[in-house]
Amino acid sequence: MSEDREWAASLEADAAEYPEERGEILLEAVSAWRRGGRPDRAYELIEQLVADGGPDGCFARAQRIDYLYADGRDEDAATELAALARDPALGDGPCQMVAELFAEREELEQAAAWYDRSVARLDDAAIEALRGAGAAFSYASIVVRGRRDVREALGLPPDRMDELVPETPTFPWAQGPQTHEDVLERLESGRSAPVRVAVFQRAERAEAQRRWPDEYLGTDEEYFAATELGWRDLRDAGAAGITVVPMTVNGLVDFADQIGGSPTDSAVKNRYSTKIAGSAGFSWPPPRNAACWCGSDRKYKKCCGRPGLSGAT
């Protein structure tokens, strides 16, 4: 808890130092204060962002709605929900947040309505990305997949947007000794434990794409954003700690040769990542001014540590 408070205070200092990113950074600070047992400070920052208006204000309203429901203040949440729906700056990101909230609460009709708002606000580039080779790693795929799942649960027939849902990807954080879903299930049952994940860093991923271009689709930005967002999910769900273990292409190839398998076979990759899971790694998240875990040579706060990464604020 004290670590979360230190992190939140550090984020507030960064918000003052980088005013062009102030909204995104303060939204991350909101979550950190909440985890650190300071909901009062979280609400104060939300109020500041709502007063500022714009897209960050909408994200702040969506976050406040989540907290109000969690705190049993349903009437206040409903009032805030109506205000968000009327906000002229409302974009697809806050709509998605609210849709996911209602899906978790099993209020599926509300979830479907907010998913409809979200997809209606996707721009042409986002829609076009759903038709591309790396569609499974695009931000829009998360939205349309969530919408489809809710519609299926409501018994609604597929529509044209449902038909754009790409196949479920094998995310990098699902290539380790346990899948993302397995870890979340364990955390939700109250069994918190450290998590070790094996991933390709940028140079190794570039080599993997060179050798097997059909196996490693999507850009680096999409791939590492998906990884970062998955780890944030695990952290927010209560993971006791996340350790990153870098994989290498040559190591994967050697392992595949040893067991007589193909390095592109998902089962072989999973066995390899499990084999090296006990190797030395490093803690995630790194300090904001430290080198990013993805191997970009950029500072974490300027790379995968950006609070607003892929609309995830």
Side-chain angles (χ1 to χ4, degrees):
M1 186 173 292
S2 62
E3 291 181 357
D4 286 320
R5 293 184 181 183
E6 291 175 3
W7 176 245
S10 173
L11 287 167
E12 288 201 45
D14 283 344
E17 184 178 355
Y18 302 99
E20 72 280 2
E21 302 174 22
R22 177 178 178 274
E24 293 182 351
I25 295 173
L26 288 183
L27 282 165
E28 183 75 3
V30 164
S31 298
W33 281 123
R34 181 85 176 185
R35 293 194 306 272
R38 284 290 308 278
D40 55 332
R41 184 56 183 162
Y43 277 121
E44 287 173 3
L45 292 182
I46 287 174
E47 189 62 39
Q48 290 179 27
L49 291 168
V50 170
D52 291 343
D56 290 331
C58 289
F59 274 112
R61 283 189 185 277
Q63 192 67 71
R64 181 156 61 186
I65 291 166
D66 188 359
Y67 292 162
L68 289 171
Y69 276 125
D71 294 339
R73 299 168 58 184
D74 289 17
E75 291 186 6
D76 291 336
T79 299
E80 190 66 40
L81 194 68
L84 178 61
R86 296 192 301 268
D87 197 311
L90 181 61
D92 56 279
C95 292
Q96 179 201 359
M97 290 176 62
V98 175
E100 290 176 348
L101 168 63
F102 280 121
E104 291 173 1
R105 289 170 57 85
E106 298 184 358
E107 297 181 35
L108 299 185
E109 291 185 358
Q110 281 271 45
W114 280 92
Y115 269 124
D116 285 344
R117 286 188 172 98
S118 185
V119 298
R121 287 166 170 79
L122 292 174
D123 59 26
D124 292 341
I127 297 298
E128 189 60 31
L130 290 170
R131 301 184 174 94
F137 293 99
S138 70
Y139 161 68
S141 71
I142 301 172
V143 179
V144 297
R145 184 175 286 108
R147 177 179 180 270
R148 180 203 59 188
D149 292 345
V150 167
R151 287 172 53 80
E152 286 182 352
L154 287 170
L156 298 175
D159 61 10
R160 294 182 65 181
M161 186 60 69
D162 292 334
E163 294 171 357
L164 290 178
V165 175
E167 294 183 6
T168 302
T170 301
F171 285 109
W173 29 257
Q175 295 175 357
Q178 60 274 303
T179 68
H180 180 256
E181 291 77 11
D182 289 340
V183 175
L184 279 178
E185 182 178 353
R186 188 176 71 228
L187 293 172
E188 289 170 357
S189 68
R191 293 172 289 160
S192 179
V195 178
R196 298 181 70 85
V197 288
V199 297
F200 283 135
Q201 292 181 300
R202 287 181 183 263
E204 292 297 326
R205 184 167 190 268
E207 176 61 15
Q209 286 183 308
R210 186 188 69 80
R211 295 197 191 191
W212 309 294
D214 294 335
E215 296 293 324
Y216 294 88
L217 302 176
T219 66
D220 279 356
E221 286 66 29
E222 294 164 341
Y223 178 90
F224 290 107
T227 308
E228 176 76 20
L229 295 177
W231 294 345
R232 292 184 192 186
D233 283 347
L234 297 182
R235 176 198 62 192
D236 292 346
I242 297 175
T243 299
V244 180
V245 182
M247 296 192 295
T248 66
V249 170
N250 286 339
L252 172 60
V253 171
D254 290 345
F255 178 77
D257 288 343
Q258 291 172 15
I259 66 173
S262 168
T264 61
D265 187 291
S266 60
V268 172
K269 288 188 286 187
N270 286 338
R271 287 181 61 185
Y272 170 64
S273 62
T274 302
K275 176 179 180 291
I276 68 169
S279 305
F282 49 87
S283 296
W284 177 93
R288 283 178 61 76
N289 286 311
C292 189
W293 61 266
C294 73
S296 66
D297 293 329
R298 299 174 65 194
K299 291 183 178 180
Y300 176 63
K301 68 183 180 184
K302 289 295 185 179
C303 193
C304 295
R306 288 172 289 141
L309 187 68
S310 293
T313 42

